[in-house]
Amino acid sequence: MSNMKIIDIKTQDIRFPTSKDNLGTDAVHVDCDYSATYVTIFTDQKDLTGIGLTFTIGKGNDLCCTVIEYFKEFIIGKNVEEIEKDIASIWEKITNHSQLRWVGPQKGVTHLAAAAFFNAIWDLISKFHKKPLWRYIIELETRDLLDKLSFSYIDDVITKDEAAKIIDQKKLSLPSNLDDLNTTIFPAYTTAAGWLGYSDEKMKRLVEENLSNGWTHFKMKVGQDIERDIHRCKLVRELIGDNNKLMVDSNQIWSVNETIENIGKLKQFDILFYEEPTNPDDVLGFKKIKDAHPDINLATGEMIQNKVMFKQFIEHKSLDYCQIDSCRIASINEILPVLLIASKFNTPVIPHAGGVGLCEYVQHLNLINKFIISNHELLLSEYAESCSEHFENPAIIKDGGYVTPTNPGYSVKIKDSSLNEFDYNNGTYWK
């Protein structure tokens, strides 16, 4: 096993025609074909592969696939243990590539591609050790783990020594038998009932179904018409009652001034948080919204493109809930440092999920954050059942929470039948 080498890497442009059912529709994304840049790393042992993906919504998925071609040289011919040892160096070489960084750096298509590539590497490493990704991470020696991460450009806010203290302190609370953690149910909220393209009748039916299945936290999309938003919020609030939680997401469509005005109109519905109300890069704009409405909570992160932007949002208290995305920033190497910054500032993390594979990814990130990073009392994560039927081991929900995954790896292997059907270049569906 110790001499296993990388012999090939395959990238596929996988697209599911979800726009037909208005799945994923919001104020700005009105025709989503949920897609994945899907990476398979092959070793000279047939049964060991690394699977990774990044999530897109159709056009442009091919651009991510193309970028990954430039990354292959950094691991082809190396053995798994060598990659595991040098993963931080490989990450820096790819995300700070002397030519590719000109079309980044560490943002946009190149960073989405890096996320898929490193998600596949982390999947490979954890499978090599025969552990689910979350358990592989929490069992690493603290310094070994930190040496695999990137603290570039953020050590003015958190150092490795500070990070080590956070992790070591949390590890004191781990049970002596880590198998005891396998029964953990991590609390979640659902977005599946509230897509903006759904009729009132469909939304009402889905909310009632989710209530009967034990859900207590609901998020709905808003942003195209404030009067319709008020109508839909009133409908959902009446359905779920006063004891359940309601969140809204306007997907960046409002200006800062519009956000301030519209939040004033939506407050009557007791909103837990307002997600992505304006431009996702506007740290100061978010702070202005907070200053105008100090009694509300803002959430953002699914479109924050790197750890430096997260550093600014968290340090300047421009967000209340940190919504990391497992495919927007470049995998574990960058996600864990963001979680550590959030822990230092006692900012709760509520990961973005849904899409293709995001729920499968965040079930691992939630557990890592809970077990060895965060001390915040609020534990919550998004869930939207979308495209789960295409995965070999989809995330499992029980009583409104994520069941802990126990299979080795990072959980995003798509079924061969789905790959054969929905490969955009040669799948049977797209011919």
Side-chain angles (χ1 to χ4, degrees), residues 357-408:
L358 301 187
C359 294
E360 285 63 41
Y361 277 148
V362 300
Q363 62 184 337
H364 294 268
L365 303 179
N366 292 331
L367 297 174
I368 295 167
N369 194 46
K370 172 183 169 67
F371 293 144
I372 66 168
I373 298 178
S374 178
N375 286 302
H376 202 281
E377 62 183 13
L378 177 63
L379 297 173
L380 193 63
S381 184
E382 184 171 20
Y383 178 78
E385 186 179 2
S386 51
C387 302
S388 60
E389 69 274 16
H390 298 294
F391 287 89
E392 288 194 354
N393 295 291
I396 299 171
I397 295 292
K398 180 181 179 181
D399 299 327
Y402 282 93
V403 173
T404 294
T406 56
N407 290 323

Side-chain angles (χ1 to χ4, degrees), residues 104-221:
Q106 297 187 8
K107 60 177 69 74
V109 170
T110 57
H111 222 46
L112 288 168
F117 192 71
F118 281 94
N119 284 341
I121 292 175
W122 284 103
D123 179 69
L124 176 69
I125 292 169
S126 55
K127 285 176 180 172
F128 176 81
H129 289 281
K130 297 182 170 56
K131 298 175 184 178
L133 187 278
W134 68 266
R135 182 149 178 176
Y136 165 76
I137 293 292
I138 71 170
E139 288 186 346
L140 285 173
E141 292 293 329
T142 299
R143 284 292 175 180
D144 187 13
L145 171 59
L146 293 175
D147 285 344
K148 292 178 177 6
L149 309 180
S150 173
F151 287 82
S152 59
Y153 305 119
I154 63 170
D155 58 357
D156 57 312
V157 170
I158 190 163
T159 64
K160 280 190 177 182
D161 286 342
E162 289 178 300
K165 289 179 181 178
I166 290 171
I167 294 173
D168 286 340
Q169 185 62 39
K170 283 290 292 184
K171 283 185 173 181
L172 294 176
S173 300
L174 290 174
S176 57
N177 183 359
L178 293 182
D179 288 344
D180 293 347
L181 302 177
N182 291 343
T183 59
T184 302
I185 303 292
F186 193 94
Y189 72 84
T190 180
T191 307
W195 299 119
L196 204 53
Y198 288 175
S199 65
D200 286 359
E201 292 74 20
K202 183 172 183 177
M203 187 172 67
K204 181 175 183 291
R205 174 175 58 81
L206 291 172
V207 168
E208 290 173 341
E209 287 178 3
N210 280 282
L211 281 168
S212 67
N213 289 330
W215 290 98
T216 59
H217 291 63
F218 296 79
K219 188 173 79 178
M220 56 185 296
K221 300 291 185 173

Side-chain angles (χ1 to χ4, degrees), residues 85-102:
K85 180 181 177 182
D86 296 337
I87 191 168
S89 173
I90 297 169
W91 192 91
E92 294 293 345
K93 288 175 182 176
I94 285 177
T95 61
N96 199 34
H97 188 285
S98 64
Q99 294 182 1
L100 288 174
R101 73 184 313 280
W102 196 259

Side-chain angles (χ1 to χ4, degrees), residues 4-140:
M4 271 186 282
K5 290 186 180 297
I6 310 303
I7 59 172
D8 195 15
I9 301 169
K10 180 180 181 180
T11 306
Q12 293 171 271
D13 181 349
I14 306 299
R15 306 190 197 187
F16 302 109
T18 51
S19 59
K20 294 194 306 180
D21 299 316
N22 286 325
L23 187 69
T25 49
D26 59 47
V28 295
H29 308 103
V30 297
D31 56 350
C32 307
D33 281 331
Y34 277 7
S35 304
T37 301
Y38 190 74
V39 180
T40 305
I41 301 173
F42 297 93
T43 70
D44 55 10
Q45 179 171 308
K46 183 179 179 181
D47 294 335
L48 181 66
T49 59
I51 305 292
L53 60 78
T54 198
F55 168 59
T56 74
I57 59 171
K59 292 185 173 94
N61 199 49
D62 52 318
L63 301 179
C64 294
C65 292
T66 298
V67 172
I68 288 171
E69 294 299 313
Y70 298 113
F71 299 162
K72 294 180 178 181
E73 64 178 290
F74 293 98
I75 64 170
I76 287 281
K78 294 186 177 181
N79 66 55
V80 177
E81 288 179 319
E82 182 182 4
I83 293 169
E84 179 183 19
K85 180 181 177 182
D86 296 337
I87 191 168
S89 173
I90 297 169
W91 192 91
E92 294 293 345
K93 288 175 182 176
I94 285 177
T95 61
N96 199 34
H97 188 285
S98 64
Q99 294 182 1
L100 288 174
R101 73 184 313 280
W102 196 259
V103 290
Q106 297 187 8
K107 60 177 69 74
V109 170
T110 57
H111 222 46
L112 288 168
F117 192 71
F118 281 94
N119 284 341
I121 292 175
W122 284 103
D123 179 69
L124 176 69
I125 292 169
S126 55
K127 285 176 180 172
F128 176 81
H129 289 281
K130 297 182 170 56
K131 298 175 184 178
L133 187 278
W134 68 266
R135 182 149 178 176
Y136 165 76
I137 293 292
I138 71 170
E139 288 186 346
L140 285 173

